[in-house]
Amino acid sequence: MSEEILSIKNLTVDFGGVRAVNDVSLSLRKGEFIGLIGPNGAGKTTIFNLITNAFQPTSGEIIFKGQSILGKSPDQICRLGISRTFQNIRLFPQMTAYENVELGLHSTPRYSLAEAFIRTPRAARIEAETRKRAHELLEMVNLSQHANARASSLPYGLQRRLELARAMATSPELLLLDEPAAGMNEDECKELVQLIRQIHNTMGYTMIMIEHHMNVVMDLCRDSLIYVLNLGSLLAVGSPAEIQNNPDVIRAYLGERKNGRDNAHA
Ligand SMILES: Nc1ncnc2c1ncn2[C@@H]1O[C@H](COP(=O)(O)OP(=O)(O)OP(=O)(O)O)[C@@H](O)[C@H]1O
Ligand SMILES: [Mg+2]
């Protein structure tokens, strides 16, 4: 068994009178892939926001690679190796697909402004490496032929894949995917499952995926665990079969769904 990379302990956050996350604990081993599901408003995205320190928990602890990450800046979190995609796509719409990925690569600059200004050989070499890496990332998500297209001109499904490439640009060890299949049709979902599986297998990332498309979740988590959140609390943890047959999960969540598709997000 590989070592633990992320440990969330008794995480709780209150927003005014609303307890969005209630005493949630979970632990992930290096390279593990887990699914996080639950009804709208269950607290799934809030957990990602807490891991990336968009805000502080009311109580609890988050340990990444052996150290507490509470209170660290988004930049520090990124440098430690945590990256995410967003439920509502966050790209620079007027920039090209290539530029969006390149910007992600520059979020961890390896040469100074002065070096860039006088174009030292080192800065030039790193720039060439950056270009190569950006194209590799675009290729990885099958967007090479759209490298020069404006992000805003890409169909929605391709924008989601571009977000994935941008998130990978910082070379994360932990990658958080917030509804990567939102708005996708069944064929696009199938392609995405293959892509995410390939990324997980080849890059060795530890991954948490929030998703409402049950086919996507059950397929990608077939060898791993699914965590179910309801009203901020963990309702169940188990294999896809265990989760699909859990009466509490059916009552709180799966029972409302039609054909495995998300009603609220479709
Ligand atoms: N910054 C915030 N300020 C106040 N309330 C918030 C904030 N962020 C989330 N909430 C509330 O916390 C609860 C959980 O929201 P969250 O976005 O985590 O749900 P979710 O499980 O991701 O739902 P969905 O499936 O719809 O994306 C909701 O009641 C939401 O309104
Ligand atoms: Mg959400």
Side-chain angles (χ1 to χ4, degrees), residues 15 18 20 38-46 55 87 179 212 265:
F15 294 120
V18 178
N40 296 124
K44 304 179 297 295
T45 297
T46 303
F55 37 72
Q87 184 167 348
E179 299 196 29
H212 282 290
H265 288 256

Side-chain angles (χ1 to χ4, degrees), residues 31-33 85 133 136-143 160-169 171-177 180 191-208 220:
E32 202 175 344
F33 184 106
T85 65
R133 186 80 192 119
E136 279 171 3
L137 285 164
L138 285 171
E139 196 179 325
M140 224 178 272
V141 298
N142 303 324
L143 281 180
R160 288 236 166 251
R161 284 204 253 145
L162 180 55
E163 260 237 323
L164 204 49
R166 185 200 47 76
M168 291 163 69
S171 302
E173 288 175 69
L174 174 64
L175 181 59
L176 310 172
L177 304 179
E191 277 177 35
L192 185 78
V193 165
Q194 276 184 6
L195 178 63
I196 292 177
R197 181 166 287 134
Q198 189 189 344
I199 287 170
H200 181 240
N201 289 344
T202 56
M203 305 303 287
Y205 300 149
T206 308
M207 292 167 85
I208 307 179
L220 278 168

